[in-house]
Amino acid sequence: MQKHIQNKLACAVRYALIAGAASTVAMVNTVIAEEQTENIERIQVTGSKITAIGLESSSPIQTISAEEIGMAQEPEVEKILRDLPATIPGDGGNVNNGTAGAATVNLRGLGAQRNLVLLNGKRMVPFNIGGRVDTASIPTAMIESVDIVTGGASAVYGSDAVSGAVNFILKRDFSGVAVDTNISETADSDGQNNYIAVTLGGNFDNSNGNAVMSFGYVKRDPVLLADRKLGQFGIRTDNGAGYQEFLDGATAPEPIGGCGGPSVVDVSGSGSTTSIPTRFEVLGTPISMQFRDDGSLGSPCSVFNFNPFNYYQTPLERYNFMAQSHYGISDEVEAFGNFHYTNATVTQQVAPSGTFGASLVLPLYNPLISSSALTTMLDSANAARVAGTLVDGKNWTDSNGNGVVDSEDLLDVRLRRRTLELGERSTSYESHLWQGTVGIRGTLLDNYDYELFYQYGESNRLQVSAGYTNLTNIQNALMATTNANGDVVCENGDSSCVPINLFGGYGSITPEMAAYAGATALLKETYEQEIFGGFISGELEFATLPTASRGLSLGLGFEKRTETGTFEPDECWKQAPASCLGGAGGNILPISGGYDVTEWYVEGVLPLIDDMTMVDSMNLEFGYRAADYSSFGSNDAWKVGLNWRPIDSVLLRVMEQQATRAPNIGELFSPITRGLGDATIDPCSSANAGNIDARLTELCIATGMTAAEVGVIPNIIAGQVNTFDGSDPTNLPKPETADTFTAGIVLTPELPFADSFSLSVDYYDIRIEDVIGSFSPQEVLDGCYMLGDMTQCAKINRQGGDLTGDLAGIDTFVTNLDYLKAEGIEVGYNLTFEIGRWGELQLTGNVNKYLTQESQSSAATPVVDCNGFFGTSCNPISDVKATTRLTWSWDDLTTSVNWRYQGAIDVLPNEAENMYEPFRHIGSYSYIDLFASYAVTQNIEVTVGIDNLLDKQPPVVGDTAGTTAYNSGNTFPSSYDVLGTIYKAGLKLRF
């Protein structure tokens, strides 16, 4: 068995096959045996559990080698993967408002939950109940290579592999001591990223076994929007306000006198209406005014610049430990095991909290209201009473029953006050994730390989949110009066209650008021995954076709998997409808659930023809997996493929698969709670007043508005609207089903001018039906008001006529949507030249061309075409994305230049009308990265690098051009290099 595991020729053939399968970012140097004899060991490739002689994959496999990872000088593998043409950015260090404090992979733009992440061919434990895997838990120093299989792989690996699988292959036999260090910093002398890893390993018991362990540490410094010119001020996406000032390098205009405070800007610019001093609105009326620093009321005079407080790059501190070992008990039996642990802390930060659009009851007898402001309030409220928009029992309480608004009454209001006195809002995610695997593998009867394993993984995360307002306490603090001693006190008699002054400028909230009005909340999330499985595979010599020299290679296997998760918020988070955290978007209720699944699978490779004219080899590949879920029942997945070599230098391959994704714990067991969603416009609001006709008016009234409110109530604020999210217990989602098809050709001819050459061209078509997801808020709004779909209208819940109140929102429950599709062509190439005494040149690259990237929520909603577009329904997806690397190796020196390219994109056509014209198009982008390494001695290597050499600046699109998570700081920080030029240096020690 030991000989079987360590056979270097088998490893060389494996790499040669991967290179032949192509679609590589960086082809590994391969050694191809001139003759294949019976002594060549059986091998396994990603995308199959079969072990067979001369195995070739019928699916495209893309490989990133350890050398390529080293040239990137990037300790976060997520940042390497996001640059691949096959991916778009997932969660990571450039996601702030919307991050889950993790790093994810998003293959083909189909969602991070739809690609399976593997470690040595086995599932990794997810970090949350959404089933996503945090790639930050993988120690970069231990990675031998990364294989990416395009198309469904559920027949081989089970649920979730609908867009493909990402397999991190770890170094197997490591001897010695390795120390890797790296530091990077931007040209602006910030955003430093420090990395160190120490790896130790060696053989034991006369090389019958090997053990290795690795320790790693990463510290990533934050970069604020305030640290870059583009992010210092908000730029409005709809009308471009603030854009010319940005181009001119202008500073923010001074606010109107008496209407100032930290980070406020003149009302003509972009910003939030939750500002300083306080904005004053009466629900259901056109009353909209703003306090002044002296406590008086006037017309709106400023908005709040929330940009500077946010991060372009979130801070991270991460510790990794990994150990793995294998030991040959005999020639036929090997024991193996591995363990890895990660502790990571990620912090996101947004602007200071406030009262935002919360509905509050304001007693007009509150002694902190100035006499001037009170007079203005009474005059405007009585005018609204006469106009019919202020109604007793609806938005006004006529306490003394005299029919007029006076100082004894109560008004339902919004006091939009930004509470800078409480500090910034922040959420820290501290994760402890570990996973261990033990097992045995070996051979039976000299011809069959087997493996039995047990794996357990666990993730524990603590989320701490601080700097928020406690809206319940603020409401108590507003109900203030004067006691017999002339002191201002809370009406509820609670001695801990401190009346709050929201009727003045910055500083009107004292530290004592802030202590009572502030809130911190905790949330604990756990996830456990337990797997027991095994398989056996080998060649059935009796099942050999007359036209082939080898028999059927067949594998049989089983897995028993149990997944459980919990979501435990504290009492603050549980408060309905919007928790005690003002500005957090809603409440959270406990989630606890799980399921188990038993799976059986069969996989085979049948040689059809070999060593014949125009058929050097032809193999049929097939597989089937049956799964039985405790949560919903049974489903299955299958694959059928063919690979054909007409001659040794040409490989043709085709694969048809059906893959599945079962609903995860979050999709099955989430109670209905309130949250925030992205939307652009409320068609019934003042923002659309010029387009409201009789038909639209009727629909607006049908969703809870009065005729007087239509076209008058305020629009959605900052591109976000309240939502009601969760699982509908009466209509739980069923599994997704993906039909995937790939076909391609690989050419590896001998060229007179090159030492090696390979070219692959692959077509892929992935269509996922019954997509588990939710209608977007804007789809619901458009479906109701534009299409007249009453089922969508029923999902709209208004308060006081508008959608900004704390009880208002849109139902966006988890359901099965129509379809999601990605179709395209991918090209990979590798060309190597020996240039005599000057060393070697190698050119490698990969190009992805999308033909289709679209989705549709239902037959009644329009198709969303994301191919070459961006918007609130599409994170930026260029129809062409490519990487090309040229590397020169000469003795101890290696230099490399990498070109990253992404094509031009446009705003979604249906959103263009509401976008400032210069922002509707983003041109193509090219980035140049440099790398060099020099082996000072046999044990010491120095590396340097420059990313974004030409300091290419990101595009400007304003602050509501896309989803909150990916559109921040007036651009798309995950899609474009927002930090500018980055310098890198590293040191590698080997002993």
Side-chain angles (χ1 to χ4, degrees):
M1 176 61 190
Q2 190 65 21
K3 179 182 177 182
H4 168 76
I5 297 299
Q6 294 183 332
N7 189 295
K8 293 184 178 180
L9 182 55
C11 292
V13 174
R14 174 181 180 277
Y15 284 120
L17 292 170
I18 292 173
S23 296
T24 57
V25 172
M27 300 285 184
V28 295
N29 292 326
T30 60
V31 179
I32 303 178
E34 294 183 359
E35 295 183 4
Q36 292 188 355
T37 70
E38 294 299 322
N39 294 324
I40 296 180
E41 301 293 339
R42 294 184 294 273
I43 59 176
Q44 186 182 80
V45 298
T46 296
S48 174
K49 292 191 177 182
I50 291 286
T51 54
I53 295 173
L55 181 64
E56 293 185 301
S57 174
S58 299
S59 294
I61 301 176
Q62 182 176 342
T63 298
I64 309 173
S65 68
E67 290 77 11
E68 177 72 10
I69 294 173
M71 288 182 186
Q73 295 184 277
E74 180 54 68
E76 299 174 65
V77 70
E78 173 269 331
K79 290 188 177 179
I80 300 172
L81 295 177
R82 79 162 73 159
D83 286 334
L84 297 179
T87 69
I88 70 168
D91 199 354
N94 299 114
V95 177
N96 181 46
N97 188 7
T99 184
T104 61
V105 184
N106 187 352
L107 280 180
R108 306 297 181 196
L110 296 173
Q113 70 274 38
R114 296 186 177 91
N115 42 244
L116 190 60
V117 179
L118 307 168
L119 192 66
N120 283 339
K122 294 179 174 59
R123 285 176 177 266
M124 291 190 64
V125 60
F127 72 87
N128 70 355
I129 60 174
R132 291 170 173 82
V133 169
D134 185 2
T135 61
S137 62
I138 302 169
T140 309
M142 285 290 292
I143 296 176
E144 179 68 29
S145 62
V146 183
D147 287 353
I148 300 172
V149 179
T150 294
S154 292
V156 177
Y157 298 116
S159 175
D160 303 335
V162 291
S163 62
V166 182
N167 186 17
F168 292 89
I169 301 170
L170 302 180
K171 296 175 180 176
R172 174 175 167 78
D173 293 303
F174 180 88
S175 295
V177 178
V179 179
D180 296 275
T181 64
N182 189 265
I183 184 172
S184 65
E185 187 176 85
T186 74
D188 292 279
S189 301
D190 59 11
Q192 193 171 102
N193 202 335
N194 295 280
Y195 168 66
I196 183 169
V198 179
T199 306
L200 309 93
N203 298 325
F204 60 89
D205 191 20
N206 296 320
S207 296
N208 281 327
N210 180 272
V212 60
M213 61 179 63
S214 183
F215 305 84
Y217 173 77
V218 176
K219 187 176 187 297
R220 182 179 70 211
D221 289 346
V223 177
L224 290 164
L225 269 61
D227 297 328
R228 294 294 182 274
K229 176 185 172 184
L230 176 57
Q232 291 174 353
F233 300 98
I235 299 174
R236 288 187 57 171
T237 297
D238 59 349
N239 61 18
Y243 180 53
Q244 189 59 49
E245 288 81 355
F246 161 72
L247 294 176
D248 296 340
T251 59
E254 290 295 324
I256 295 172
C259 190
S263 205
V264 304
V265 292
D266 183 82
V267 74
S268 63
S270 175
S272 171
T273 55
T274 300
S275 186
I276 295 179
T278 306
R279 290 274 186 127
F280 170 78
E281 300 170 7
V282 179
L283 269 68
T285 76
I287 297 173
S288 178
M289 294 182 283
Q290 190 167 6
F291 282 91
R292 299 298 189 266
D293 294 338
D294 62 3
S296 62
L297 264 175
S299 59
C301 53
S302 73
V303 291
F304 185 76
N305 179 21
F306 52 80
N307 268 38
F309 305 91
N310 290 256
Y311 287 134
Y312 272 136
Q313 176 173 282
T314 58
L316 162 72
E317 188 167 29
R318 184 186 78 201
Y319 299 87
N320 281 109
F321 170 74
M322 172 168 280
Q324 68 174 10
S325 180
H326 58 86
Y327 178 70
I329 299 172
S330 68
D331 288 342
E332 290 78 28
V333 181
E334 180 186 70
F336 65 93
N338 63 60
F339 173 84
H340 71 270
Y341 167 80
T342 299
N343 169 235
T345 301
V346 175
T347 301
Q348 62 96 236
Q349 176 180 290
V350 294
S353 189
T355 54
F356 297 98
S359 173
L360 298 167
V361 177
L362 177 65
L364 296 178
Y365 49 80
N366 186 312
L368 297 176
I369 301 173
S370 70
S371 58
S372 170
L374 179 60
T375 299
T376 304
M377 288 180 185
L378 295 177
D379 289 345
S380 58
N382 278 302
R385 173 183 57 80
V386 173
T389 57
L390 188 70
V391 180
D392 184 20
K394 181 180 179 183
N395 48 6
W396 162 45
T397 301
D398 187 7
S399 300
N400 53 16
N402 62 1
V404 296
V405 184
D406 55 33
S407 60
E408 296 184 28
D409 295 345
L410 308 175
L411 291 180
D412 292 344
V413 301
R414 293 193 181 93
L415 299 175
R416 300 188 189 275
R417 170 59 146 84
R418 187 70 64 158
T419 52
L420 272 79
E421 294 89 344
L422 276 64
E424 296 85 357
R425 284 173 290 170
S426 66
T427 300
S428 66
Y429 302 85
E430 183 176 3
S431 303
H432 297 268
L433 183 148
W434 66 272
Q435 182 169 304
T437 305
V438 294
I440 59 171
R441 56 192 168 208
T443 59
L444 295 172
L445 304 176
D446 294 327
N447 201 38
Y448 302 98
D449 297 333
Y450 72 89
E451 178 177 291
L452 292 171
F453 72 94
Y454 172 78
Q455 178 173 295
Y456 178 83
E458 186 174 307
S459 173
N460 295 279
R461 289 161 52 87
L462 179 64
Q463 177 179 319
V464 181
S465 298
Y468 287 81
T469 52
N470 185 322
L471 293 175
T472 300
N473 285 5
I474 286 179
Q475 178 61 80
N476 292 337
L478 281 175
M479 305 301 292
T481 188
T482 305
N483 65 12
N485 297 324
D487 300 321
V488 179
V489 297
C490 298
E491 282 187 340
N492 61 8
D494 182 357
S495 60
S496 66
C497 179
V498 180
I500 190 168
N501 184 0
L502 298 181
F503 316 112
Y506 179 68
S508 65
I509 299 177
T510 66
E512 294 77 17
M513 295 175 184
Y516 179 71
T520 297
L522 307 178
L523 191 155
K524 182 180 179 182
E525 185 173 16
T526 63
Y527 198 98
E528 298 177 52
Q529 183 185 76
E530 185 177 29
I531 306 175
F532 175 66
F535 67 88
I536 183 170
S537 72
E539 182 181 341
L540 305 179
E541 294 182 355
F542 64 85
T544 302
L545 296 178
T547 52
S549 60
R550 296 195 180 279
L552 168 68
S553 292
L554 190 69
L556 301 171
F558 76 96
E559 282 188 7
K560 171 73 173 181
R561 178 163 50 96
T562 302
E563 313 259 356
T564 57
T566 63
F567 207 59
E568 301 175 12
D570 66 3
E571 293 304 315
C572 170
W573 272 120
K574 294 177 186 177
Q575 291 181 17
S579 83
C580 78
L581 300 183
N587 68 321
I588 298 174
L589 296 177
I591 300 172
S592 180
Y595 59 87
D596 59 70
V597 55
T598 302
E599 298 178 287
W600 296 89
Y601 59 90
V602 59
E603 188 182 0
V605 176
L606 177 63
L608 301 176
I609 306 172
D610 57 38
D611 295 328
M612 295 180 64
T613 303
M614 290 304 295
V615 187
D616 188 64
S617 67
M618 180 181 290
N619 302 298
L620 176 68
E621 182 179 344
F622 60 89
Y624 176 80
R625 177 179 288 247
D628 184 21
Y629 284 81
S630 62
S631 53
F632 62 84
S634 62
N635 74 341
D636 55 18
W638 54 264
K639 68 171 183 176
V640 177
L642 185 74
N643 61 72
W644 169 35
R645 281 192 179 275
I647 57 176
D648 184 62
S649 59
V650 178
L651 172 67
L652 301 170
R653 57 193 177 195
V654 62
M655 176 70 79
E656 178 82 25
Q657 302 189 62
Q658 185 177 90
T660 62
R661 185 177 82 84
N664 57 49
I665 292 172
E667 292 162 341
L668 288 172
F669 301 104
S670 294
I672 297 173
T673 57
R674 203 184 78 162
L676 283 176
D678 296 296
T680 54
I681 188 171
D682 176 0
C684 299
S685 71
S686 58
N688 194 47
N691 300 315
I692 297 177
D693 55 17
R695 173 186 170 277
L696 180 53
T697 298
E698 290 182 5
L699 289 169
C700 295
I701 293 173
T703 55
M705 300 182 71
T706 66
E709 293 167 342
V710 177
V712 174
I713 52 95
N715 189 29
I716 294 164
I717 298 171
Q720 290 188 306
V721 64
N722 295 332
T723 58
F724 295 97
D725 312 317
S727 307
D728 184 350
T730 63
N731 186 28
L732 290 175
K734 60 183 179 180
E736 299 177 348
T737 300
D739 292 314
T740 72
F741 175 79
T742 59
I745 183 171
V746 183
L747 305 176
T748 54
E750 293 185 3
L751 301 178
F753 57 86
D755 291 275
S756 67
F757 171 75
S758 67
L759 172 68
S760 68
V761 181
D762 286 283
Y763 167 81
Y764 59 88
D765 183 359
I766 305 170
R767 181 184 174 93
I768 306 169
E769 296 185 343
D770 295 321
V771 176
I772 303 172
S774 304
F775 286 93
S776 71
Q778 196 63 55
E779 280 183 321
V780 175
L781 292 170
D782 292 345
C784 173
Y785 299 119
M786 304 304 168
L787 302 177
D789 184 349
M790 297 310 295
T791 60
Q792 301 288 21
C793 292
K795 301 175 183 179
I796 300 171
N797 309 281
R798 294 183 177 273
Q799 179 188 9
D802 66 39
L803 291 173
T804 61
D806 54 343
L807 298 177
I810 296 173
D811 296 343
T812 54
F813 304 147
V814 176
T815 187
N816 286 107
L817 307 178
D818 197 353
Y819 77 89
L820 180 61
K821 180 176 180 177
E823 176 192 17
I825 296 174
E826 192 155 39
V827 178
Y829 51 90
N830 177 31
L831 186 62
T832 303
F833 302 89
E834 296 288 346
I835 50 178
R837 65 187 182 92
W838 295 106
E840 178 185 271
L841 283 176
Q842 185 178 42
L843 181 69
T844 61
N846 188 254
V847 181
N848 180 72
K849 165 67 176 178
Y850 279 116
L851 302 176
T852 307
Q853 223 294 343
E854 66 182 28
S855 64
Q856 187 174 29
S857 297
S858 72
T861 62
V863 171
V864 179
D865 180 5
C866 291
N867 187 18
F869 294 104
F870 68 92
T872 57
S873 299
C874 297
N875 294 328
I877 297 181
S878 299
D879 66 333
V880 176
K881 189 177 179 183
T883 60
T884 298
R885 180 178 289 277
L886 178 64
T887 303
W888 173 43
S889 300
W890 178 46
D891 293 336
D892 297 323
L893 175 67
T894 298
T895 62
S896 183
V897 57
N898 186 45
W899 172 40
R900 294 177 282 135
Y901 172 84
Q902 48 189 316
I905 54 177
D906 294 289
V907 68
L908 287 167
N910 65 314
E911 297 183 13
E913 184 180 351
N914 296 314
M915 179 176 284
Y916 186 50
E917 196 276 334
F919 298 163
R920 298 175 188 174
H921 175 79
I922 298 175
S924 62
Y925 264 68
S926 291
Y927 297 104
I928 303 296
D929 307 326
L930 300 181
F931 168 81
S933 68
Y934 182 73
V936 180
T937 69
Q938 185 177 358
N939 307 110
I940 302 174
E941 181 181 350
V942 177
T943 64
V944 293
I946 304 176
D947 286 355
N948 192 2
L949 173 68
L950 303 179
D951 197 26
K952 181 77 171 179
Q953 295 300 300
V956 183
V957 293
D959 52 15
T960 57
T963 61
T964 306
Y966 296 99
N967 175 208
S968 177
N970 304 312
T971 188
F972 294 103
S974 295
S975 301
Y976 299 92
D977 288 9
V978 74
L979 301 183
T981 300
I982 297 177
Y983 300 104
K984 300 179 176 181
L987 180 66
K988 298 182 179 181
L989 307 178
R990 300 288 185 269
F991 304 100

